[in-house]
Amino acid sequence: MDEARLESELQEVGRQLAAALPSAARHPLKAVDDQAMDLASSDQELKAALFRFVDVVPACRNLDDLARHLIGFLGEMDTPPPPVAAAMKMGGSRAGRTALGAAAAAGVRHMAHRFIVGESPRAAMGDLRGLWKDGVAATGDLLGEATVTQDEARHYATRCAEALETLVEATAGWPERPRLQEDSSGPLPRANLSVKVSALTPLLRAGAPERGQRDAAGRLRELLRAARDLGAHLHIDMESLDSRDAVTELILDLLAEDEFRDGPSAGLVLQAYLRDSPDMADLVIGWAVDGPGAARAQPLTVRLVKGAYWDHELVEARQHGWSVPVFEVKADCDLNFETLTRRLLDARGPVRLAVGSHNLRSVAHAVAYNRVSGGEDSDVELQVLRGLGDPLQEALAASGFRVRAYCPVGDLVAGMAYLVRRLLENTSNDSFLLAQSQGASLDELLARPAA
Ligand SMILES: Cc1cc2nc3c(=O)[nH]c(=O)nc-3n(C[C@H](O)[C@H](O)[C@H](O)COP(=O)(O)OP(=O)(O)OC[C@H]3O[C@@H](n4cnc5c(N)ncnc54)[C@H](O)[C@@H]3O)c2cc1C
């Protein structure tokens, strides 16, 4: 690989995308949210208070209750910033508390809507159709409570099967968008659903993963059948490391079964923050290129992400005195992401790469490497999270790339845990989005990761 040529292509792509980012002026509401996020990320005490507040919102009985909790949490701050001090003054009277409660509820609802497309798949279809018309495909994700009983697992599986039907039925009438419908390996389903194995079984435990694997297998097989029969894509998300091997093995074993030789289109997730992710990449690529997956009619889609459970993995390992499974230096994680991007693109054909990142450098690297190594732009999919990646999504679609938004569906209560996770991610010190929103220069944002 000609590294100089690659780096120069990367810089060009990165600069073009940066120029295509929408200006804050066109998104006044988003600018308000960003200010709120800035405030939360710059004040650790406020951040902690807000996280505690967001956690109890679903349990609040009425607006007065909501305001009392908000004031209680904020009251624990030693030095509240001026807007918070003003809000607390309002909390002194019942009328003030009601007004404050209404404002807090509206704020949480507004924030949640930024990350969640609708309360049900049917309710989400309007937003998803709007995205499609703007040149953005989607993958749905059904939010839910943690699965602790067999009934809940069955209920989640039923909801997923219904969501597949709703998606297929609704997307059939959407206008043609050739860029979103095919790549050089063939057609891409319009309907795309992401599912979590931990929600398909209550038995997925670190100590005995095989039990959970066996229990989830039946429900996942049913969903694969439904996706195959309906012509939809089924993607299996990846969660924390304690279930990673069981989940990966389960997906690859099921997809290798004879009945899935011709479909459905399906995929899994590779997490680049894990130190052993190159071994995982070998396993997955080997399976797709000259292993059992080679007999399948559809390529295996691999969504490459850095990983959403970084703090969890770090704390868990330290608590048990284990060696830390994730990179601890951000640049090492970013460089590994680039290495894995290259390996997955080199396996194009049997493997379809979907890059799940909001980091302009990581995204531009994937586009540039794909081009320099002889791929078509249509052969790499760029994925963003609804709410976090909206500006990048707009820039990617406007620049002619294939982009897909990961769109959670669920009610406000189910959305809380999701919202907190996303807020934490967005306000962590090493986050690209935080650096970008704090005005880091384009040179800094596009620089080769260095420790
Ligand atoms: C469409 C889509 C689907 C996703 N699906 C999944 C999924 O199934 N499973 C999953 O786990 N995640 C998933 N994610 C979340 C994804 O892992 C995070 O959005 C991502 O890590 C943020 O990375 P970034 O490249 O956007 O941002 P960046 O700011 O470049 O990277 C932030 C990430 O770097 C890592 N990191 C942070 N600090 C350090 C450090 N000190 N040392 C080393 N590494 C560090 C963490 O992984 C952190 O999330 C998905 C994301 C998208 C866009």
Side-chain angles (χ1 to χ4, degrees):
M1 174 56 54
D2 179 344
E3 290 293 331
R5 186 170 153 226
L6 172 65
E7 192 63 31
S8 122
E9 181 74 28
L10 183 164
Q11 294 293 329
E12 200 176 316
V13 172
R15 274 159 220 284
Q16 277 166 2
L17 284 176
L21 287 171
S23 71
R26 283 172 53 204
H27 290 273
L29 274 179
K30 293 215 167 68
V32 173
D33 283 353
D34 289 342
Q35 277 170 20
M37 287 208 181
D38 272 354
L39 189 63
S41 59
S42 60
D43 188 325
Q44 290 304 320
E45 240 192 318
L46 175 60
K47 192 169 159 183
L50 289 178
F51 280 134
R52 286 204 293 277
F53 169 65
V54 165
D55 253 353
V56 302
V57 171
C60 290
R61 291 182 306 277
N62 52 41
L63 294 179
D64 210 33
D65 202 17
L66 197 71
R68 253 199 313 274
H69 278 93
L70 179 60
I71 293 155
F73 287 130
L74 295 177
E76 289 168 17
M77 296 181 66
D78 292 334
T79 43
V84 173
M88 286 177 63
K89 266 201 201 116
M90 282 176 73
S93 69
R94 190 179 169 85
R97 272 204 303 278
T98 306
L100 189 59
V108 168
R109 211 173 283 279
H110 169 70
M111 281 291 262
H113 190 71
R114 184 176 159 182
F115 294 91
I116 295 167
V117 270
E119 298 215 349
S120 67
R122 206 158 284 288
M125 291 319 299
D127 276 11
L128 299 190
R129 186 187 168 95
L131 286 174
W132 180 266
K133 280 174 73 183
D134 291 342
V136 178
T139 182
D141 159 45
L142 301 183
L143 295 173
E145 310 276 332
T147 294
V148 288
T149 64
Q150 290 290 352
D151 271 354
E152 285 163 347
R154 270 192 293 274
H155 182 59
Y156 176 74
T158 307
R159 285 169 62 220
C160 287
E162 286 168 1
L164 281 172
E165 281 175 26
T166 305
L167 284 167
V168 168
E169 191 187 308
T171 56
W174 290 358
E176 291 297 309
R177 287 289 178 273
R179 194 202 306 154
L180 306 180
Q181 294 171 196
E182 63 186 323
D183 66 4
S184 51
S185 295
L188 297 157
R190 290 178 170 206
N192 187 311
L193 184 71
S194 291
V195 300
K196 290 194 170 53
V197 172
S198 69
L200 286 172
T201 170
L203 303 177
L204 199 64
R205 299 275 149 65
E210 301 77 17
R211 270 183 80 209
Q213 210 181 28
R214 271 198 306 276
D215 191 48
R219 294 186 190 105
L220 189 54
R221 192 180 284 112
E222 283 302 324
L223 287 178
L224 287 168
R225 283 182 187 141
R228 178 199 59 202
D229 297 347
L230 290 162
H233 175 91
L234 194 72
H235 213 93
I236 292 90
D237 288 351
M238 199 58 78
E239 301 170 73
S240 47
L241 178 61
D242 51 20
S243 61
R244 190 229 13 212
D245 291 351
V247 167
T248 308
E249 191 180 63
L250 173 64
I251 302 165
L252 297 183
D253 284 356
L254 286 179
L255 289 179
E257 291 180 359
D258 263 358
E259 66 169 311
F260 299 125
R261 191 176 283 251
D262 294 329
S265 167
L268 46 66
V269 175
L270 188 63
Q271 294 160 315
Y273 65 5
L274 291 172
R275 292 178 195 274
D276 71 353
S277 50
D279 298 338
M280 214 54 193
D282 282 347
L283 178 93
V284 168
I285 293 171
W287 180 92
V289 173
D290 45 26
R296 296 194 77 238
Q298 312 259 1
L300 178 74
T301 304
V302 180
R303 180 198 297 151
L304 179 64
V305 300
K306 284 167 196 157
Y309 307 86
W310 187 81
D311 300 81
H312 166 87
E313 303 294 4
L314 196 73
V315 170
E316 173 120 327
R318 286 190 179 151
Q319 257 173 9
H320 292 89
W322 299 332
S323 60
V324 175
V326 288
F327 289 105
E328 289 175 76
V329 174
K330 175 68 163 49
D332 291 342
C333 173
D334 290 356
L335 282 173
N336 188 45
F337 192 89
E338 295 189 4
T339 305
L340 296 180
T341 299
R342 296 178 186 205
R343 287 173 59 182
L344 291 163
L345 283 172
D346 288 343
R348 65 171 77 77
V351 171
R352 273 182 169 137
L353 173 64
V355 172
S357 172
H358 310 121
N359 182 319
L360 204 57
R361 159 92 199 182
S362 305
V363 170
H365 170 268
V367 170
Y369 183 83
N370 184 48
R371 283 182 183 167
V372 171
S373 61
E376 300 288 327
D377 279 355
S378 62
D379 288 342
V380 55
E381 181 165 293
L382 304 159
Q383 297 193 346
V384 298
L385 294 174
R386 156 97 178 179
L388 282 184
D390 300 358
L392 179 61
Q393 162 194 305
E394 218 173 301
L396 287 166
S399 310
F401 294 108
R402 177 149 57 87
V403 53
R404 185 179 305 278
Y406 183 101
C407 294
V409 174
D411 61 21
L412 192 61
V413 175
M416 278 308 139
Y418 182 82
L419 186 58
V420 172
R421 258 217 326 275
R422 296 282 88 99
L423 280 174
L424 267 172
E425 208 172 280
N426 204 29
T427 53
S428 85
N429 286 342
D430 280 318
S431 153
F432 175 91
L433 286 178
L434 187 64
Q436 191 181 33
S437 75
Q438 289 177 338
S441 72
L442 199 50
D443 282 346
E444 287 170 294
L445 295 174
L446 289 177
R448 187 167 197 279

